[in-house]
Amino acid sequence: IEKLTKLTADGVIVATPAGSTAYNLSLNGSILPLDSKLVVITPISPFSPRLWKGAIIKNIKKIEFEVLNNDFRKINTTADFVEFKDTAKVEVMTDFTKTINILFDKNETIEEKIMNQQFYCN
């Protein structure tokens, strides 16, 4: 199902719950609970549609990006520190066969840390 037919922006971040508190958060993207089966899509400096703030979707979906006029608009795609140059099309899917261990402060659970990030005030 195509929901956004055209986006003009400096880039797009697709983040899992674990990645939602990193660069995604610095762009005012949503923080996702670690046990959620969701991904967040956050635009980087969107120009059109200017008011699009991104989306949260189930992580069982395949997300596709196609670069219009890719001969003129050269883009690079980065996934977990691996860069692909002159990308014309990107498909993003969650790989459920991989696992990672997340390190955290033993005095504060990761859930507490995420809640503190969401309700942080100066």
Side-chain angles (χ1 to χ4, degrees):
I1 298 171
E2 189 173 275
K3 293 294 182 186
L4 185 63
T5 58
K6 187 175 179 183
L7 172 66
T8 305
D10 286 348
V12 176
I13 290 179
V14 178
T16 63
S20 69
T21 60
Y23 187 26
N24 175 68
L25 177 60
S26 71
L27 293 169
N28 293 318
S30 298
I31 296 175
L32 302 174
L34 276 180
D35 59 352
S36 70
K37 295 186 177 354
L38 303 169
V39 294
V40 61
I41 304 169
T42 304
I44 302 170
S45 300
F47 179 76
S48 175
R50 189 174 304 276
L51 297 178
W52 188 62
K53 300 294 183 196
I56 297 172
I57 63 171
K58 292 180 181 180
N59 68 0
I60 58 172
K61 303 286 185 187
K62 178 168 63 170
I63 304 165
E64 295 180 345
F65 300 97
E66 185 174 348
V67 180
L68 303 177
N69 303 321
N70 67 322
D71 291 335
F72 175 70
R73 292 184 175 101
K74 300 293 184 186
I75 69 159
N76 296 339
T77 302
T78 305
D80 295 330
F81 305 104
V82 178
E83 185 174 23
F84 305 91
K85 297 199 177 271
D86 298 332
T87 310
K89 184 176 182 181
V90 177
E91 295 180 353
V92 180
M93 294 176 289
T94 302
D95 182 353
F96 294 101
T97 65
K98 309 278 185 198
T99 60
I100 62 168
N101 292 322
I102 299 175
L103 302 176
F104 58 91
D105 184 347
K106 64 182 175 184
N107 296 320
E108 180 180 44
T109 68
I110 193 72
E111 288 82 8
E112 290 171 329
K113 188 172 187 122
I114 289 172
M115 287 297 285
N116 289 337
Q117 283 288 326
Q118 292 183 83
F119 296 100
Y120 176 78
C121 296
N122 285 334

